[in-house]
Amino acid sequence: MLESVRLRLALWHTAVLGAVLVAFAAATYAYLARSSLHRMDELLSEAAHAFAGELAGEAGDDPSLRGAATETAASFRLGETRVMVFDGRGGLVAASPADPHTPAPDPAALAAALARRRGAPRAFTIAEGRGADRVFPVKVTLSGRTLTVAAVQPMEERDELLQRARTAFGIAIPLALLLAGAGGYLLARRSLAPVVAMSAQAARIGTENLHERLPVPNPRDELGHLATVFNGLLERLSSAIGQQRRFMADAAHELRTPVAIVRAEADVVLSRAGRPAGEYRDALAVVQGEGRRLSRIVDDLFLLARADAGEHPLQPAELYLNEIAADAARAMRMLAEPRRISIRVDAADDAPLRGDESLLHRLVANLLDNAVKYAPAGSLVTVSVQRDGRGYRLGVRDEGPPIAPDVRAKLFQRFFRGDRSRSGGPNPGGAAGAGLGLAIARWIAEAHGGTLRLAEPAGSGNEFVLHLPAADSGALADSTG
């Protein structure tokens, strides 16, 4: 039962309220006891001093102190308060009439208690078997004799008042705690009802219904904010799973074609014995080409998978971006020569950089491969490297047909095939890619703290622009960890 948050909240609420109520009751009881005792002492003090004044006046008329005390005590009436007069030896001189319903204190016990007290008059309590009495003594000197006037009042009424207060607190506090506990539980249950609904809905959501979302009753409170954040997580998770599914489907599609070609060539060659050696060489050449294509696709998929999982650490080193561009251009000239495409590198100054040489070389090579594929025969592809603020700008421009506006945003998507990215028909270069080159190039740029984008069209041709920081960036340091 204590595993329930609602019950724990109700118990905590009840415990805190109980502590507050007990503290309040204790303070109230202490104040009531002290104030009632103080009022009793004031009443007794006034009664004792009033009696002493009357006794002094009566003594002026009657020279006998005992007679004056007896006369004054006989006429004294003040509720339950009784006055008793003692001489210097503790003997009872006079006493006011006793109330039949209120037993008088024992004179001998009161005299003994008065004898034990010295100094200024001060109220005190005397307890006997019948109960407790409050006493306030006043000393009076008349005709050279000292008398003690003691005003006495039973404490029974005060004790009953305090007993009623204790009974009231004993009933009210448990009842208040019971009501508070029940109310706290209902309030916690009502407040946590959205959490219960969200948890039930979250338990029903799986990979087959990731489109469903948690209810958000009030987006402005804490629970609504939690539901909104969780829905955002579900949205990102749904997008990631959808992207993974598309990636797997596209990868299967890309791998199926070369595998089918290899199987078809093998089936054709093996379907009849005694074929000429030339046919076997042609079939092996096709298998070799498709095998290389398969190997390239698998390598690209493995690289992207490790990049997505954050398991492809960079190997930074000091290098020059202009030399990377020149090396990539020399390697691509062999592919450009059959179509008489020229590759020119414009890099007037050295461009020192810290980065992963093999990955940066692959990035530039992918951009050049993409440019050569779509550049018209006999055209020019230009690679430029220049300083740009606190970093470098590397541009790869071709003279091919402009990229259609509706597909510019899709260029860096995985498996987006190049023959669909330009307006004006099929791929002029005739080479079929897997659609992973630009996606890999953008990842390499971002891993080095840079950006890769397609520049806005300015006249004929297309230009991909790479921006890299000149200094060792925080992004590169994070990627190498």
Side-chain angles (χ1 to χ4, degrees):
M1 289 295 292
L2 291 180
E3 295 179 356
S4 172
V5 176
R6 291 172 292 186
L7 182 58
R8 290 202 300 269
L9 287 176
L11 290 178
W12 274 109
H13 171 74
T14 305
V16 172
L17 181 61
V20 172
L21 289 178
V22 169
F24 175 78
T28 303
Y29 183 83
Y31 174 77
L32 182 62
R34 183 175 180 179
S35 63
S36 62
L37 188 63
H38 181 69
R39 289 178 58 189
M40 181 179 291
D41 291 345
E42 287 182 345
L43 178 62
L44 291 176
S45 176
E46 292 174 359
H49 284 90
F51 185 88
E54 293 182 8
L55 178 59
E58 189 69 27
D61 299 333
D62 187 353
S64 172
L65 289 180
R66 181 176 294 276
T70 302
E71 184 67 23
T72 304
S75 62
F76 183 83
R77 297 287 188 277
L78 188 61
E80 295 183 349
T81 304
R82 191 180 185 197
V83 175
M84 304 179 73
V85 182
F86 295 89
D87 58 19
R89 296 187 299 272
L92 180 64
V93 177
S96 61
D99 186 349
H101 303 290
T102 306
D106 182 15
L110 180 56
L114 290 172
R116 291 193 297 269
R117 297 197 170 262
R118 299 287 185 265
R122 189 174 182 181
F124 62 92
T125 302
I126 179 173
E128 299 178 356
R130 63 177 185 83
D133 295 298
R134 191 70 173 172
V135 181
F136 191 92
V138 173
K139 292 187 178 297
V140 180
T141 302
L142 298 173
S143 303
R145 296 174 60 186
T146 301
L147 302 178
T148 301
V149 177
V152 184
Q153 182 175 341
M155 301 185 70
E156 181 180 0
E157 184 177 351
R158 175 179 176 271
D159 293 340
E160 290 179 356
L161 174 64
L162 296 180
Q163 178 60 39
R164 288 195 298 269
R166 290 194 296 269
T167 302
F169 288 142
I171 296 175
I173 291 179
L175 182 60
L177 292 180
L178 180 62
L179 294 176
Y185 182 80
L186 294 177
L187 181 61
R189 182 177 181 180
R190 181 179 179 87
S191 300
L192 295 177
V195 178
V196 176
M198 285 189 291
S199 61
Q201 176 66 11
R204 289 193 297 267
I205 296 177
T207 56
E208 68 282 353
N209 59 340
L210 272 176
H211 61 280
E212 297 184 12
R213 296 294 179 264
L214 300 185
V216 186
N218 184 7
R220 293 183 297 274
D221 62 9
E222 290 80 359
L223 296 181
H225 179 68
L226 174 63
T228 302
V229 172
F230 195 84
N231 285 338
L233 174 63
L234 288 177
E235 187 68 30
R236 294 190 297 271
L237 182 61
S238 177
S239 177
I241 291 180
Q243 182 179 3
Q244 183 185 34
R245 288 172 175 172
R246 291 191 298 272
F247 182 82
M248 294 176 62
D250 292 337
H253 176 74
E254 291 295 331
L255 295 173
R256 182 175 57 184
T257 301
V259 170
I261 293 175
V262 170
R263 290 184 59 184
E265 287 294 326
D267 291 340
V268 170
V269 171
L270 296 176
S271 62
R272 182 169 59 87
R275 289 182 178 274
E279 292 186 10
Y280 287 108
R281 283 195 298 270
D282 293 340
L284 289 176
V286 172
V287 171
Q288 183 186 40
E290 294 302 323
R292 289 176 178 173
R293 182 185 174 192
L294 275 173
S295 178
R296 187 165 56 250
I297 293 176
V298 171
D299 289 342
D300 290 344
L301 290 175
F302 183 64
L303 174 62
L304 289 175
R306 294 188 63 188
D308 290 341
E311 298 176 354
H312 195 291
L314 304 184
Q315 298 178 358
E318 303 296 333
L319 50 87
Y320 290 89
L321 186 59
N322 55 308
E323 294 182 357
I324 295 290
D327 292 342
R330 281 194 295 269
M332 293 301 298
R333 285 192 177 100
M334 297 181 59
L335 299 178
E337 285 179 359
R339 301 182 55 237
R340 306 183 311 280
I341 295 176
S342 302
I343 300 177
R344 185 180 66 192
V345 178
D346 293 335
D349 300 324
D350 289 339
L353 182 70
R354 181 173 175 80
D356 191 308
E357 183 176 1
S358 62
L359 290 180
L360 289 175
H361 186 279
R362 186 168 187 174
L363 186 157
V364 180
N366 285 355
L367 295 180
L368 284 173
D369 179 69
N370 184 75
V372 169
K373 286 180 182 179
Y374 296 100
S379 63
L380 175 66
V381 173
T382 304
V383 182
S384 60
V385 179
Q386 57 188 4
R387 191 81 182 193
D388 183 18
R390 300 179 61 182
Y392 298 110
R393 179 187 187 277
L394 183 147
V396 177
R397 172 178 287 276
D398 62 63
E399 298 177 353
I403 298 176
D406 58 335
V407 297
R408 292 175 63 88
K410 304 177 182 179
L411 285 175
F412 296 99
Q413 293 181 3
R414 298 174 184 181
F415 297 106
F416 187 79
R417 301 295 293 272
D419 54 0
R420 301 194 301 262
S421 63
R422 307 286 180 97
S423 60
N427 176 5
L436 296 175
L438 291 179
I440 293 175
R442 169 166 280 187
W443 169 77
I444 296 174
E446 293 175 349
H448 285 78
T451 60
L452 177 63
R453 62 182 178 85
L454 176 63
E456 294 297 327
S460 61
N462 304 276
E463 183 180 19
F464 286 87
V465 179
L466 169 67
H467 286 279
L468 290 176
D472 188 11
S473 65
L476 179 59
D478 294 340
S479 299
T480 60

